[in-house]
Amino acid sequence: MVLGWGALGWAVPARAETARAETAHAVAMHGDPKYPDGFPHFDYVNPDAPKGGTLRQAVVGSFDTLNPHVVKGVPAPGLSAVFETLLARSWDEPFSLYGLLAERIELPEDRSAITFHLDPRARWHDGTPVTADDLLFSLDIQRRLGTPNRRQYYGRVAVAERLSDRAVRLTFTPNPDGRPDRELPLILGLMPIHQKAWWQGREFDRTTLEPPMGSGPLLVAEVDAGRRIVYERVADYWGRDLPVRRGLYNVDRVVFDLYRDDTVALEAFKAGQADVRRETDPSKWATGYDGPALNDGRIVMEQFRHARPEPARGFIVNERRKPFDDIRVREALGLVTDFAWINRSFFHGALVRTASYFPNSELAATGLPDAAERALLEPFRDRLPPALFQRPFTLPETDGSGPAGGRANLRTALALLERAGWRVRDGRLVDAGGRAMTFEILLGDPADERVTLAFARSLERLGIRATVRTVDSAQYQGRLDSYDFDVTLRFWASTLSPGNEQLYYYGSAAADQPGSRNIAGIRDPAVDALAASLGDTRRREDLVARVRALDRVLLWGHHMVPLFHSPVDRLARSTRLRRPDGVPLYGPLVESWWVGE
C-alpha cells in the first residue's frame, strides 16, 4: 500500500515491473562498507564483555521531557538508547550504516528510493513486534510534528509504500536539478521508530515525563524531572546478539544525576558519586582532579586522540538583528580580543584556536583554494570576498599580553566599524543617529562566563558595551529556538561525512525555522548551493573538496568569533570501569565499556 501524505487513507499502488535491487546488510555514503555481510561485531568493542553493574554519570543541565524528537522541552540525557533506529552507525568509518531494526535493505544504484526489511525478531519493550505500520507512523508523525531537521528531511519522501507487515519502500523527491539526493536513504536509515499503538490518544508534539514505548537496549526505570533519570538494561533485548550491538550496552543500570554547576558535578565524580566524566575544560583537567581518589588510584585520567571534526565553537551573532547583519561589524568583533592570553590564562595553553567549521579533520580548508575548490567557488565569485581567492583565511594574531594588547588589530577593527557607519564619541561607539552599540551575550552554562567576560571587556576598547547574562538550560534553549538573543556562545558539530544537515545548520531555508541549528541566521546562496551539493557526491575526494569550499565561504562570512577546540578527548573514569583496547575513528565510546573488578 502507499501512504499518500495528502490523502486520508490507504490505496493499492500499481506495481511497476522493474528489476529489484539486491538486498544488502549495509550502506556507505562513499565507497563500500568496511564490514562484510555476516561480520561478528565492530572492531572497537569487546564481544565478551561481562554484563552487570551500574554506570553513573554526573552531568550539567536539566530536562523536562522524555521525547527527544520534538521542539518543545529539554530532553533527558541517554534517551537515544531507548529508541532504536532502522540502521546503526559504525563509529570507525566516516559514514556507514548496518542493519538494526531493518535487517536488510534494497537500494537502487541511483539511491532514488530505499526498501527496509524489518528484522522479524525486532520487539518493543512490551513484547509486541515492530511492524511496517510503526515505521510509517513514525515517518508521518515526525514529518509533521518532529524537530525542524526531521521535518525537512522526512518531507523529501514522496511515496511510502507498505509492501508487507515487515517491508516498506520509500521513494524520494529528487533535488531541484532532477538528481536524487544520495544521502537521503542513509538519513532515513537513522530515523527513530515509535510504536504507533502507544501514541494513540497522546500528543506527540507535547513534552512528556511518561516514558514512551521503546525497542532499544535500555528502558526508562526512574524519573526525577530535571534532577535524575535511571535506565535499566533490557534483559531480553531482542537485538543483543546483532553484530551492531554485540559488546555494547553492558551495564545493568545507567544513572544520570543532573547538576546546574559543573564544579559541583566534578566534585560529585571525585567523591565517587559518578564513574566516568568527559572533561572539556583543560584547566580543570590540569588541576581539578587532585585529591584522594586520584592519589589512591580509584580514578584514572586518560587522553585519546581521534580523527573526527571537533565542534566549531565561538561567539555566534544573530544576523537577524542589527548591527550584526553587517559583515564589517561581525569581522570587527573578532579583532580586539587577545585569545592567546585567554588560552594561556584559562586553559593552560592546551587548546587550539579554531580556524574552520570542521576543525581537527581533513575537511578543514587550509591555504588557498585548490583547482577543485576554485571550480566550485567560481560561480559565486561576484558574491564572495575577493580575499577568499587571494589569500588564506587566518585569524588575527595576538601577542598574549592581555586585553590591552593588539593595537594594530584595534585600528583595523575601528576602520571596519567606521566604514559601517559607526564612530567612537566620548568613549562610546555610536551610529549616525547617536545610538550606542550595546548588546547582550546569552549563556546557558556558568562555566562559559570567564571567557565571555574577557571578550566583553575587550569590546569596551571599541566603545561597545556588551552585557553577559546566564540563564537556566530550559530558558536558554527556548530563547535559542525562537532566536531571542543578540550573541551567544554556542557551537556547530559535524561528522566526517557532512551532508544534508549542513543546510539545517547554515541554509537560508532554516534561518527562520524555530529550533533549527542555523543559529546565526545565515542567508547566503553560495552556502546553500555548496551545502546542497554534498549529498550528491560519490567519491570521498569530491566530498572533501566541496566541504572545504563550504568551509571557506562560512569563514569569510564572519558568522562567529571562533574560540578553541581540543585535538584530544579527555576522560576520567573509576577503575571499576573497563574499556576495550581499540578506540574508533570518532573517539572513545562509553557504551562499549563494562563494570569489572
Side-chain angles (χ1 to χ4, degrees), residues 51-209:
K51 306 295 185 184
T54 297
L55 174 64
R56 301 162 299 171
Q57 297 188 58
V59 298
V60 175
S62 183
F63 70 90
D64 59 7
T65 187
L66 301 182
N67 183 3
H69 305 134
V70 295
V71 171
K72 292 183 179 178
V74 178
L79 286 168
S80 60
V82 174
F83 301 96
E84 246 11 340
T85 53
L86 293 163
L87 305 176
R89 188 161 190 167
S90 162
W91 294 110
D92 56 355
E93 301 171 75
F95 193 11
S96 293
L97 303 180
Y98 297 80
L100 184 53
L101 283 175
E103 62 175 347
R104 309 290 293 183
I105 60 173
E106 294 178 49
L107 195 64
E109 193 279 334
D110 66 357
R111 298 191 179 185
S112 59
I114 188 171
T115 301
F116 295 105
H117 295 272
L118 296 175
D119 193 319
R121 297 167 293 181
R123 291 290 185 273
W124 297 103
H125 292 156
D126 63 3
T128 59
V130 180
T131 69
D133 291 338
D134 294 317
L135 193 164
L136 292 169
F137 166 78
S138 300
L139 176 63
D140 180 39
I141 200 74
Q142 291 179 92
R143 151 190 181 104
R144 293 188 291 108
L145 302 177
T147 54
N149 61 327
R150 291 185 172 89
R151 294 200 298 267
Q152 178 179 335
Y153 299 149
Y154 302 167
R156 298 285 304 279
V157 177
V159 179
E161 185 177 358
R162 186 185 189 277
L163 304 179
S164 71
D165 287 346
R166 293 200 301 268
V168 170
R169 176 181 171 87
L170 306 179
T171 303
F172 305 118
T173 301
N175 288 326
D177 61 6
R179 293 181 299 170
D181 186 327
R182 292 181 57 79
E183 191 184 22
L184 270 177
L186 283 80
I187 292 175
L188 268 295
L190 292 175
M191 178 173 64
I193 303 303
H194 292 267
Q195 188 187 55
K196 179 180 179 179
W198 192 88
W199 282 102
Q200 300 310 300
R202 294 179 171 94
E203 295 182 88
F204 187 82
D205 58 344
R206 301 282 185 176
T207 61
T208 180
L209 292 174

Side-chain angles (χ1 to χ4, degrees), residues 427-442:
R428 302 297 301 275
L429 188 69
V430 298
D431 62 12
R435 292 178 291 271
M437 185 184 292
T438 64
F439 56 82
E440 178 186 85
I441 305 175
L442 180 69

Side-chain angles (χ1 to χ4, degrees), residues 535-578:
D536 296 331
T537 56
R538 302 191 181 199
R539 301 187 306 163
R540 180 70 185 174
E541 54 266 37
D542 292 336
L543 176 72
V544 171
R546 295 185 190 195
V547 176
R548 288 176 178 173
L550 172 63
D551 194 23
R552 294 184 193 279
V553 176
L554 290 171
L555 287 169
W556 285 97
H558 297 285
H559 307 293
M560 73 170 175
V561 178
L563 288 173
F564 310 94
H565 67 273
S566 173
V568 297
D569 286 325
R570 301 176 177 88
L571 275 81
R573 62 177 171 88
S574 164
T575 50
R576 61 190 290 272
L577 281 184
R578 299 286 188 267

